[in-house]
């Protein structure tokens, strides 16, 4: 790793003067990559928190909240695999990612469906509501019934 | 612990903390129970990321099984809340 990229990663280590900055003795490229991955996971967690607070309704909060659930976890698990490279860790990480990718879309789908059905959606913020079109089409096609 | 790791730990810990506090704020304030379920999910995801980051920093895999169990069963609470939410429930 060149000195310039080290200075990019850790500005505190970059000297003010010209030339090659001296590397600290305990610097390792693996630690730098792991640090970047951990910072990515932490940044996505921060973004999810801010989005949860700032966004106006359930659907947009759902959009913000799903970032650390997949990409943040992928980054952090890759960091673990880099620090402890073994087959056991790799298989466990693949299992964790498999279950996370199977279950989180179920959560998001159920929450979104419940939000739509219970009118917790800000419909004035929607750009296009295809589900409402489909529901209207079905209700026109079928005979009007009493049960809602 | 090298200086690089120390800097990463401080910055990442601050980010995790702010994100978790925001999620807790939404759990407290959330106008509907769906907001609260979603915020609890986000808090759980942030906790999982923090657990993993701690493992990567300290180079151990003791809590990897905890991540596995959480990834398997974290879905149940939100689905139960969403599934049994009554249509006229305003909370």
């Amino acid at each position: 790793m060149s000195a310039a990229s080290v200075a990019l990663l850790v500005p505190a280590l970059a000297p003010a003067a010209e030339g090659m900055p001296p590397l600290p003795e305990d610097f390792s490229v693996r630690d730098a990559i792991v640090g970047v991955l951990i910072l990515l996971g932490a940044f996505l967690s921060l973004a999810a928190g801010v989005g949860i607070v700032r966004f106006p309704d359930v659907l947009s909060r759902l959009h913000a909240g799903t970032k650390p659930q997949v990409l943040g976890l992928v980054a952090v698990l890759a960091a673990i695999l880099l620090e402890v490279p073994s087959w056991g860790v790799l298989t466990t990480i693949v299992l964790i990612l498999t279950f996370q990718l199977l279950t989180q879309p179920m959560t998001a789908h159920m929450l979104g469906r419940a939000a739509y059905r219970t009118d917790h959606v800000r419909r004035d913020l929607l750009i296009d509501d295809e589900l409402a079109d489909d529901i209207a089409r079905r209700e026109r096609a079928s005979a009007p019934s009493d049960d809602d | 612990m090298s200086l690089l790791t120390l800097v990463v730990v401080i910055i990442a810990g601050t980010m995790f903390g702010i994100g978790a506090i925001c999620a807790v704020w939404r759990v407290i304030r959330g106008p509907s129970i769906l907001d609260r379920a979603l915020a609890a999910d986000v808090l759980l995801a942030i906790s999982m990321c923090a657990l993993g980051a701690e493992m990567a920093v300290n180079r151990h895999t003791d809590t990897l099984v905890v991540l596995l169990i959480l990834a398997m069963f974290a879905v149940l609470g939100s689905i139960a809340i969403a599934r049994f939410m009554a249509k006229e429930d305003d909370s």
Side-chain angles (χ1 to χ4, degrees):
Chain A
M1 173 167 278
S2 74
S5 53
V6 173
L8 275 180
L9 280 174
V10 190
L13 295 181
E18 74 293 337
M20 293 283 290
L23 281 174
E25 291 82 6
D26 55 355
F27 181 81
S28 74
V29 180
R30 190 178 64 175
D31 280 351
I33 298 174
V34 164
V36 169
L37 287 173
I38 288 176
L39 284 181
L40 176 64
F43 173 73
L44 288 172
S45 299
L46 174 69
V50 173
I52 280 282
V53 168
R54 295 280 300 161
F55 281 176
D57 69 338
V58 176
L59 292 189
S60 47
R61 283 176 199 146
L62 201 57
H63 157 73
T66 42
K67 265 65 203 172
Q69 288 177 351
V70 176
L71 186 55
L73 199 65
V74 166
V76 164
L77 291 179
I80 297 173
L81 190 61
L82 275 177
E83 283 288 359
V84 192
S86 73
W87 286 107
V89 174
L90 176 65
T91 48
T92 312
I93 281 174
V94 168
L95 267 183
I96 291 172
L97 281 181
T98 306
F99 281 116
Q100 188 80 0
L101 289 177
L102 279 178
T103 56
Q104 289 305 329
M106 290 163 59
T107 307
H109 174 81
M110 292 302 287
L111 282 178
R113 194 172 75 154
Y116 194 92
R117 287 185 174 177
T118 55
D119 274 336
H120 283 109
V121 178
R122 290 267 308 274
R123 289 176 202 277
D124 54 327
L125 294 180
L126 294 180
I127 296 173
D128 195 3
D129 192 358
E130 293 181 334
L131 183 55
D133 299 342
D134 285 348
I135 290 173
R137 197 176 307 124
R138 270 189 79 102
E139 283 177 351
R140 272 200 310 273
S142 65
S145 59
D146 289 334
D147 55 52
D148 187 13
Chain B
M1 185 180 286
S2 66
L3 177 63
L4 172 67
T5 313
L6 191 64
V7 171
V8 165
V9 164
I10 290 174
I11 297 177
T14 311
M15 284 177 169
F16 282 132
I18 294 176
I21 287 172
C22 289
V24 170
W25 187 86
R26 181 52 73 188
V27 170
I28 296 171
R29 289 292 304 277
S32 74
I33 193 170
L34 290 173
D35 289 306
R36 295 193 170 94
L38 172 62
D41 251 15
V42 171
L43 185 60
L44 181 75
I46 294 174
S47 309
M48 290 172 74
C49 286
L51 269 179
E54 186 269 331
M55 270 188 283
V57 166
N58 290 331
R59 294 199 182 97
H60 65 84
T61 56
D62 295 344
T63 48
L64 208 56
V65 186
V66 178
L67 289 192
L68 179 60
I69 301 299
L70 284 179
M72 287 168 77
F73 292 112
V75 68
L76 296 181
S78 305
I79 284 189
I81 290 176
R83 186 67 186 82
F84 293 106
M85 186 173 175
K87 183 157 187 170
E88 63 274 10
D89 192 359
D90 246 356
S91 63

